[in-house]
Amino acid sequence: MTIKIAIFGGSGYGGSELLRILFQHPNAEIVFVTANEHAGKAVSEVHKNLLGLTHLKFTKAPENLESLSDIDCVFFALPHGQAMENAPKLPSNVKVIDLSGDFRLSDAAVFASHYGREHSAMNAQSQFVYGLTETNRKAIKSATRVANPGCFATATLLGLAPLVANNLLSCRVIVDAKTGSSGSGAKAAANTHHPQRSNSFYAYKPFTHQHVPEIEQELKSIGEWNNELIFMTHSLPVSRGIFASIYCELKKEMPAVEAREMFADFYRNSFFVRFVEGSPDINWVKTTNFCDIGFATRGRQLVVFTAIDNLVKGAAGQAVQNMNLMFGLDEKTGLMLIGTNP
């Protein structure tokens, strides 16, 4: 099988990672990749790591999206607000995977509150399946439209899903999550400029992060979720990686070995979830599609630690994992990405 692919928004970090992964995918043929401000430039001129690997050039986005019936799959790696304007115009036979937040939330008012804009395509939103592969695999397999999860949401949901599915949580959950600077995008901003961030550490968007409603929305689909969620995000002085510490109180005492066994059973068919002794480390998952999970317990208190690469499992890697399922491929295809040491 050859999957003819178009990437909208190929100049950012998400687009760069899609290109890096799909160039090695045995079933992928990238027909075109857009980047309006770089139209006409070689892809390898913008993404130097791809030098010598492709002759593709960036193009402007086609004006007539309705004519793209010969494309099998479209990835949107655009800023929030742009996919909702374009995805509904695509032919129904074209499968769509959106890496932005445009189609993750089913409530228009919640979307407007957290993204600061009105949703213009709620009719189309109802066609999108939430793309957390490990919890929604069956629905993704038959989907034509997938909303890829946010990076923080991925790290948090993978750490909470088994607990919610087994109805083990007794009170509020506190998530202390930290991310590298690449999560802020390829264009420099005041708070992501290297001299500002390299030796710094700070919290941002307390109680207001846009990934909170999608986390709670998905947890309610997994099991009984009526708990209070306190979710805090922090800026790490590294380029890649998310590390989440998830603090829970359970309805019963659970030693770390029992927690690990329960998680392992829940993720028994999930190759990209790995379990470690003690704490994971973002260095072990960088450039890979793995989520590493560790545990610490004291009586009824449980801390779940998760680590992912925000650009791979938190974005492009999970998007390709979903594409594989949508086209009937083994979900590991093209994603056997090995990390580095150190």
Side-chain angles (χ1 to χ4, degrees), residues 75-76 96-104 128-133 140 145-151 154 214 312-323:
F75 290 92
F76 285 106
V96 176
I97 302 171
D98 178 32
L99 277 69
S100 80
D102 283 11
F103 296 103
R104 296 172 189 160
F128 278 77
V129 168
Y130 188 70
L132 187 70
T133 319
I140 293 165
R145 303 285 188 269
V146 166
N148 221 52
C151 50
T154 297
E214 71 173 276
V312 187
K313 185 57 177 170
Q318 186 160 215
V320 173
Q321 191 178 353
N322 287 328
M323 180 197 77

Side-chain angles (χ1 to χ4, degrees), residues 128-280:
F128 278 77
V129 168
Y130 188 70
L132 187 70
T133 319
E134 283 70 20
T135 63
N136 223 9
R137 189 174 280 110
K138 183 178 179 181
I140 293 165
K141 284 182 178 179
S142 59
T144 59
R145 303 285 188 269
V146 166
N148 221 52
C151 50
F152 276 125
T154 297
T156 302
L157 287 165
L158 290 175
L160 281 175
L163 299 171
V164 173
N166 287 281
N167 195 23
L168 289 171
L169 298 172
S170 68
C171 64
R172 72 167 60 94
V173 172
I174 299 172
V175 179
D176 178 0
K178 303 168 179 68
T179 187
S181 57
S182 57
S184 298
K187 290 187 176 180
N191 64 331
T192 60
H193 189 45
H194 183 73
Q196 169 67 25
R197 189 154 180 166
S198 63
N199 294 300
S200 182
F201 186 83
Y202 52 87
Y204 67 99
K205 294 185 179 179
F207 295 112
T208 62
H209 199 281
Q210 67 271 18
H211 291 177
V212 172
E214 71 173 276
I215 292 169
E216 297 198 296
Q217 176 180 279
E218 181 62 10
L219 288 175
K220 288 175 182 175
S221 74
I222 292 170
E224 188 173 335
W225 171 259
N226 297 305
N227 304 73
E228 179 186 5
L229 177 64
I230 299 176
F231 186 81
M232 293 292 159
T233 53
H234 304 79
S235 163
L236 277 176
V238 300
S239 60
R240 283 180 182 257
I242 284 179
F243 190 99
S245 300
I246 304 168
Y247 302 93
C248 313
E249 186 170 296
L250 306 182
K251 294 178 179 178
K252 63 177 184 178
E253 290 192 9
M254 180 176 287
V257 64
E258 185 179 338
R260 179 175 176 144
E261 289 172 355
M262 186 262 293
F263 270 67
D265 181 62
F266 186 87
Y267 290 122
R268 60 188 176 276
N269 297 317
S270 297
F271 175 80
F272 292 112
V273 176
R274 307 187 299 191
F275 300 100
V276 304
E277 295 293 335
S279 173

Side-chain angles (χ1 to χ4, degrees), residues 9-178:
S11 61
Y13 291 141
S16 172
E17 287 294 272
L18 280 173
L19 290 163
R20 180 176 73 91
I21 294 168
L22 290 170
F23 282 145
Q24 303 176 81
H25 194 293
N27 301 94
E29 177 189 341
I30 302 175
V31 177
F32 69 83
V33 52
T34 76
N36 289 349
E37 63 183 296
H38 296 293
K41 290 183 181 178
V43 165
S44 60
E45 183 181 347
V46 177
H47 302 307
K48 307 292 186 183
N49 59 314
L50 301 178
L51 185 64
L53 300 177
T54 178
H55 298 294
L56 269 178
K57 292 185 176 182
F58 287 116
T59 67
K60 288 187 176 293
E63 294 183 2
N64 185 11
L65 299 185
E66 294 87 349
S67 67
L68 297 181
S69 57
D70 58 337
I71 297 293
D72 298 312
C73 185
V74 167
F75 290 92
F76 285 106
L78 296 166
H80 302 309
Q82 294 188 27
M84 72 173 79
E85 301 299 326
N86 291 293
K89 300 175 184 177
L90 289 166
S92 59
N93 67 295
V94 178
K95 296 182 179 180
V96 176
I97 302 171
D98 178 32
L99 277 69
S100 80
D102 283 11
F103 296 103
R104 296 172 189 160
L105 299 177
S106 59
D107 188 311
V110 173
F111 177 89
S113 173
H114 283 80
Y115 285 91
R117 70 186 77 213
E118 296 298 319
H119 203 292
S120 62
M122 285 306 294
N123 289 337
Q125 194 283 331
S126 63
Q127 303 169 17
F128 278 77
V129 168
Y130 188 70
L132 187 70
T133 319
E134 283 70 20
T135 63
N136 223 9
R137 189 174 280 110
K138 183 178 179 181
I140 293 165
K141 284 182 178 179
S142 59
T144 59
R145 303 285 188 269
V146 166
N148 221 52
C151 50
F152 276 125
T154 297
T156 302
L157 287 165
L158 290 175
L160 281 175
L163 299 171
V164 173
N166 287 281
N167 195 23
L168 289 171
L169 298 172
S170 68
C171 64
R172 72 167 60 94
V173 172
I174 299 172
V175 179
D176 178 0
K178 303 168 179 68

